[in-house]
Amino acid sequence: PAAPAITGISDNVAPVTGTIVAGGFTNDATPTLTGTAAIGALVSIYDNGGTVAPGTATADGSGNWSFTPAGLPDGAHSFTATATDTAGNISSISGSYAVTIDTAAPAQAVTITTLTDNTGNPNDWITEDRTPTISGTLGGALGAGERLEVRIVGSPIWSQATVSGTSWFYGPGALALGNHTVEMRLIDAAGNIGTTTNRAFSIVDVNNAPIVVNNSSALLGLISAEALGLIEIGGQSRVVADPDNDLTNVTVRFARLL
């Protein structure tokens, strides 16, 4: 008979399920192999070139077959297959389909340390910034294929935090006023979820008054007026800062000397 074909291997273990690309990773130690062969042929599946088949399947009336092995060890696996017809003739071997099984979750610690800008009291995790940046540290550098994912609780979408060495940050974009929780998780290429953590924070709207402070630098553009005795600014300029970043205008009044 013609050589069978292994057309796919499926991962059935969350959070990443579905077809595993050839050469890909899976956290499923019992993935399902599917393929095609001559109708009624007995398909023998081999792992890593072994001479003893770990299992067999029979091609159905459409020439399709599937096989789920018993628990496989972590590591690289390259599956091949042969087909045997009812007369006992054995086909040539199929092409290989390789996957790597990895059931070990990443173990680095994840810490959420900073909310920027924290406009309330230091470290109270209250801000008036509607587009805050959240940052923190990792207990160790990410391994190959590992990533740090983050989301605001309530969103179904996980995004990747920006990681540099053992530091990370994330900007969730514009958020509504109120209470929020940021949630973090480490995940590897096979879909194993390691360390998870979360932190609550609040976005508030407090109308803080602008702050006016003296600056020893002269008020630009008015120095000559002072030199002519037209105004008195006392050799100082005034600096206005607005904690809410919504300052629209500044009114300056001067006392005439003449």
Side-chain angles (χ1 to χ4, degrees):
I6 302 174
T7 56
I9 301 180
S10 297
D11 182 325
N12 304 300
V13 176
V16 181
T17 60
T19 301
I20 309 163
V21 298
F25 290 79
T26 177
N27 62 342
D28 187 355
T30 58
T32 299
L33 286 71
T34 55
T36 58
I39 294 173
L42 180 68
V43 179
S44 298
I45 297 93
Y46 301 89
D47 183 11
N48 289 334
T51 57
V52 178
T56 59
T58 300
D60 63 19
S62 298
N64 299 313
W65 58 267
S66 66
F67 170 71
T68 301
L72 297 170
D74 279 13
H77 297 267
S78 180
F79 297 100
T80 53
T82 59
T84 303
D85 63 20
T86 55
N89 300 303
I90 301 174
S91 73
S92 57
I93 199 163
S94 71
S96 63
Y97 199 121
V99 298
T100 297
I101 295 176
D102 173 13
T103 58
Q108 301 95 318
V110 180
T111 305
I112 304 171
T113 62
T114 308
L115 177 68
T116 307
D117 292 319
N118 195 118
T119 55
N121 296 319
N123 300 316
D124 66 359
W125 290 83
I126 298 175
T127 181
E128 293 181 66
D129 187 348
R130 298 283 293 271
T131 57
T133 298
I134 302 159
S135 56
T137 60
L138 293 169
L142 295 179
E146 294 177 348
R147 60 192 185 275
L148 179 62
E149 293 189 335
V150 57
R151 69 176 178 179
I152 300 299
V153 173
S155 170
I157 300 173
W158 289 91
S159 302
Q160 287 195 50
T162 300
V163 178
S164 176
T166 57
S167 299
W168 62 266
F169 71 88
Y170 169 68
L175 298 175
L177 295 174
N179 298 322
H180 300 275
T181 299
V182 61
E183 184 177 17
M184 315 289 302
R185 70 180 185 181
L186 275 176
I187 188 168
D188 64 18
N192 299 296
I193 296 176
T195 306
T196 62
T197 189
N198 62 76
R199 178 76 199 220
F201 64 97
S202 299
I203 298 178
V204 298
D205 184 10
V206 177
N207 187 18
N208 293 301
I211 301 168
V212 180
V213 296
N214 291 334
N215 188 319
S216 59
S217 301
L219 195 61
L220 298 179
L222 296 177
I223 300 173
S224 58
E226 182 183 38
L228 293 173
L230 300 177
I231 62 173
E232 172 61 48
I233 61 175
Q236 292 186 335
S237 63
R238 307 299 191 261
V239 176
V240 180
D242 182 21
D244 298 324
N245 289 321
D246 59 2
L247 190 67
T248 58
N249 61 79
V250 176
T251 301
V252 181
R253 295 185 175 91
F254 298 99
R256 294 178 60 86
L257 296 182
L258 300 179

